[in-house]
Amino acid sequence: ERGHGPYQPQEPGYGLYQPGYSPYDDQIPDPKSRTLAIENAKAFLLKSSTTSGLNLYDHLANMLTKILDERPTNAVDIIENISKDVKWAQFQKKMDTLRDEHEILPTFEAAEKLKALFLKANGEGDEELEEEIEETPLPNVMETAFYFEQAGIGLSKDESYHIFLALKKLISAQPIRTCRFWGKILGLEMNYIIAEVQYHEGEEEEETEEEEGTEEGGKGMGEVEDEDEKNEKEDEPPKSTYKPPPVIPKEQNGTGANKYVYFVCNEPGKPWVKLPPVTPAQIVCARKIKKFFTGRLDAPVVSFPPFPGNEANYLRAQIARISAGTHISPIGFYQFAEEEGDEEEEGGGRRDTYEENPDFQPPSVAEMVESLSTWVHHGQSILKQGRCVWFNPFQKSEEEEEEEDGEEEKGEEPDELQQEVGPPLLTPLSEDEGIQNIPAWTAQSSTNLIPQYAVAVLQSNRWPGAYAFAAGKKFDNIYFGWGHKYSPGNHAPALPPPVQAEYPSGPEITETRDPTLEEELAFKAAREEALAAAEEEEDEEDDAEDDEEEEDD
């Protein structure tokens, strides 16, 4: 016979409906422990989420309330949708508007910025595109990114492709002959994406003439102002004989540290900005300071010694220093021109240009990893003066010498400076000095499992973030970092110069000592006696003259 209740004695749920029975009596016999377990469970359910701020207890209560109020059919099948509706009601705005407010997502904003990169120019045909592809200086950024990716270096594929499109837009807007993705320098607020380009021969000369014209115009205005000041000032104070040290001129565009022109932008899709040429003073000062970039080119560089320029000039100086020390290539890829080499050897000068070797035979990856002598520097080193080619500041032109010959007075000639000499071009990396016990370069293979398809990768320890790869006849250099040179110890700013000494004291400038009261009284008494003696002498002379007149009469 079937007993009363939903369960039979042989079923697992038998006895649950009977008062005082619980299946957990054997586990938690103590009522106090059972109450504590219930409180702990409830406390766990009341724990709020760190993202939404809701808790599971209230969420389940709201779900059950919604189910009991609406009583939908097959509630178990739509329990997930009910949970979403309850969550959505928590975040829904209580005030209604006439129109729906569409929130702009960050992904949509990013897509709007990059939209211009994906648009084609009007009137472009397939034939014109084919001709441009054959003659374009656009570098294959994706291929370079693929090789660096073998060693775990580089950006994401999306960012690399966006930079690829941004370089294409730069080439279409500027008369560029060669273009290369230099790298990415990180900043505190924004980053810098850097493109290294070379103009066509005529375009660069025009820009140089414009810069020189503005400088000459500024000098002319200064001369007019000087003449006006001279006319206004009749009595001038004595001029100082101090002569400041001569200013080292910057290298011409297309040579030395200004061989390439650099464009930067914060993100792909933003406008490219051309960096100004670098000067020796900026390079010399950049070696003495260490500043993080902000991402704003017009930001001031607050440092000691004071940097001559803003962040755009500091960025250009760091790019020149990194390029000079980390741009390398497999040995034999570049060679000196034969005609130019003969001329340089006869003249005793140094070679500063090179060309690609058409008969280049690349060394194996194993050789390039084992020996640093298979890599060479193809970037000119920067001297302590801040130039790649040394300049004598005291060397005078023919006009200045003629003017000095016409003058009678000649000043003291300064001591002759010793010419600075740096390592020549195409110097092997094996001659680079290490940093204490750390080698200047670290070479490794991209993989040891498949050496047939491995890529040789070099990492600079002097400039962390500078890398180079070589695979067959293909190689490239890139930089990803903060733009700082490695220093074994903490960076110590330069100390201020010593305080100038006082002017040497002598009898000409020494102040007299104030007299005492006794000395003043003695001086007054002596002066009174002298005056009295002088009056007596005058009286005696007058009396003598009167006596002589009487005798004559």
Side-chain angles (χ1 to χ4, degrees):
E1 294 181 0
R2 185 177 180 87
H4 297 286
Y7 299 101
Q8 297 296 323
Q10 69 274 9
E11 294 179 352
Y14 177 78
L16 292 177
Y17 58 91
Q18 297 180 3
Y21 177 81
S22 173
Y24 301 101
D25 285 343
D26 56 342
Q27 299 178 10
I28 309 176
D30 189 5
K32 295 182 179 179
S33 301
R34 186 186 309 121
T35 305
L36 180 62
I38 294 173
E39 291 178 354
N40 291 337
K42 186 175 181 180
F44 174 76
L45 295 177
L46 288 171
K47 188 181 293 183
S48 300
S49 173
T50 57
T51 56
S52 62
L54 303 177
N55 59 75
L56 186 59
Y57 187 89
D58 294 339
H59 181 65
L60 292 175
N62 294 333
M63 286 177 58
L64 293 175
T65 302
K66 184 178 179 64
I67 292 172
L68 293 176
D69 291 342
E70 298 179 358
R71 296 186 180 275
T73 57
N74 301 327
V76 68
D77 298 331
I78 59 173
I79 189 68
E80 294 84 1
N81 297 333
I82 295 173
S83 175
K84 290 181 180 178
D85 295 339
V86 171
K87 286 184 177 180
W88 181 257
Q90 295 288 337
F91 297 100
Q92 192 173 5
K93 293 182 179 180
K94 296 182 179 180
M95 56 179 295
D96 295 332
T97 57
L98 297 177
R99 295 182 180 180
D100 295 335
E101 295 182 359
H102 299 283
E103 296 182 0
I104 301 176
L105 301 176
T107 54
F108 181 79
E109 292 182 354
E112 284 291 329
K113 293 179 182 178
L114 300 172
K115 184 178 179 180
L117 298 176
F118 292 87
L119 297 177
K120 294 183 179 180
N122 295 329
E124 284 188 352
D126 295 338
E127 297 179 357
E128 294 179 358
L129 286 174
E130 292 178 0
E131 292 178 358
E132 290 181 0
I133 290 172
E134 293 177 359
E135 301 175 358
T136 182
L138 182 65
N140 194 344
V141 177
M142 300 306 295
E143 182 182 8
T144 305
F146 166 76
Y147 284 108
F148 278 113
E149 188 180 1
Q150 306 304 311
I153 303 163
L155 308 172
S156 63
K157 290 185 178 180
D158 290 343
E159 188 173 2
S160 298
Y161 192 73
H162 296 160
I163 293 173
F164 198 4
L165 297 176
L167 292 176
K168 180 185 176 184
K169 188 175 181 180
L170 173 64
I171 290 172
S172 62
Q174 298 287 339
I176 293 173
R177 179 167 57 91
T178 61
C179 180
R180 193 179 74 86
F181 175 48
W182 187 88
K184 182 178 181 178
I185 289 183
L186 306 178
L188 300 178
E189 300 176 12
M190 294 178 288
N191 305 323
Y192 289 116
I193 296 171
I194 305 166
E196 181 183 86
V197 305
Q198 278 183 317
Y199 283 120
H200 292 287
E201 295 180 358
E203 301 294 337
E204 189 173 358
E205 292 176 359
E206 291 178 1
E207 292 191 357
T208 307
E209 291 176 358
E210 291 179 0
E211 292 176 1
E212 292 177 354
T214 53
E215 291 178 359
E216 291 176 359
K219 290 180 181 178
M221 292 295 291
E223 292 174 359
V224 174
E225 291 176 359
D226 293 341
E227 291 178 359
D228 295 339
E229 290 178 359
K230 288 180 181 179
N231 295 332
E232 291 176 0
K233 296 179 181 179
E234 296 179 357
D235 300 333
E236 294 183 357
K239 295 183 179 179
S240 174
T241 58
Y242 169 76
K243 293 183 179 180
V247 178
I248 307 299
K250 71 179 183 67
E251 294 177 297
Q252 296 181 357
N253 293 345
T255 60
N258 291 320
K259 182 177 181 180
Y260 296 98
V261 180
Y262 294 91
F263 286 85
V264 298
C265 66
N266 297 119
E267 293 178 1
K270 290 188 176 181
W272 291 94
V273 180
K274 178 184 174 184
L275 295 180
V278 66
T279 62
Q282 294 168 356
I283 294 178
V284 171
C285 185
R287 288 170 170 165
K288 301 177 182 178
I289 64 176
K290 182 175 285 189
K291 297 285 290 185
F292 281 103
F293 294 96
T294 62
R296 294 179 285 107
L297 292 175
D298 57 347
V301 180
V302 181
S303 64
F304 183 83
F307 184 79
N310 54 12
E311 186 165 304
N313 303 107
Y314 180 57
L315 176 63
R316 180 64 182 86
Q318 292 299 95
I319 290 173
R321 296 178 62 199
I322 295 171
S323 301
T326 62
H327 281 190
I328 58 177
S329 58
I331 188 170
F333 186 87
Y334 292 113
Q335 65 178 2
F336 295 110
E338 296 180 359
E339 298 178 358
E340 183 183 354
D342 297 339
E343 294 176 0
E344 294 289 345
E345 290 176 1
E346 293 175 0
R350 300 176 65 84
R351 303 176 181 179
D352 56 355
T353 58
Y354 50 82
E355 62 182 7
E356 291 187 12
N357 182 11
D359 302 328
F360 169 66
Q361 295 296 331
S364 63
V365 174
E367 294 177 357
M368 303 186 76
V369 172
E370 292 175 0
S371 176
L372 293 178
S373 59
T374 56
W375 296 82
V376 296
H377 289 276
H378 63 261
Q380 284 185 282
S381 62
I382 301 177
L383 305 175
K384 293 182 179 179
Q385 192 183 49
R387 289 168 54 101
C388 295
V389 180
W390 188 74
F391 175 81
N392 187 2
F394 300 106
Q395 185 177 4
K396 299 171 184 177
S397 60
E398 297 179 358
E399 298 178 357
E400 293 178 352
E401 291 179 357
E402 292 177 358
E403 291 178 0
E404 288 187 356
D405 293 340
E407 296 177 358
E408 295 180 358
E409 297 180 358
K410 293 184 180 179
E412 296 181 358
E413 295 182 358
D415 298 335
E416 293 184 0
L417 297 177
Q418 294 183 356
Q419 181 177 355
E420 297 178 9
V421 179
L425 272 177
L426 306 184
T427 301
L429 268 63
S430 56
E431 300 183 8
D432 290 4
E433 296 182 1
I435 310 164
Q436 293 184 356
N437 297 327
I438 304 173
W441 296 88
T442 300
Q444 61 181 356
S445 176
S446 61
T447 177
N448 296 324
L449 301 177
I450 312 174
Q452 298 86 350
Y453 298 99
V455 178
V457 181
L458 256 70
Q459 175 184 356
S460 174
N461 296 323
R462 191 178 302 276
W463 289 98
Y467 301 92
F469 86 90
K473 293 187 177 182
K474 296 181 179 179
F475 79 95
D476 204 348
N477 300 270
I478 207 163
Y479 180 83
F480 299 111
W482 294 94
H484 292 163
K485 190 176 182 179
Y486 173 76
S487 56
N490 295 330
H491 174 70
L495 297 176
V499 180
Q500 294 184 352
E502 294 289 341
Y503 192 86
S505 60
E508 299 177 355
I509 63 171
T510 304
E511 295 183 359
T512 58
R513 183 176 57 85
D514 292 339
T516 61
L517 179 61
E518 297 175 354
E519 292 176 350
E520 288 183 358
L521 295 174
F523 176 74
K524 288 181 180 180
R527 186 173 60 179
E528 290 176 357
E529 291 177 359
L531 291 173
E535 289 178 356
E536 290 178 359
E537 290 178 359
E538 289 179 358
D539 294 340
E540 290 177 358
E541 289 177 358
D542 293 340
D543 294 341
E545 289 178 358
D546 293 340
D547 295 339
E548 289 177 359
E549 290 178 356
E550 290 177 357
E551 290 176 358
D552 292 340
D553 294 338

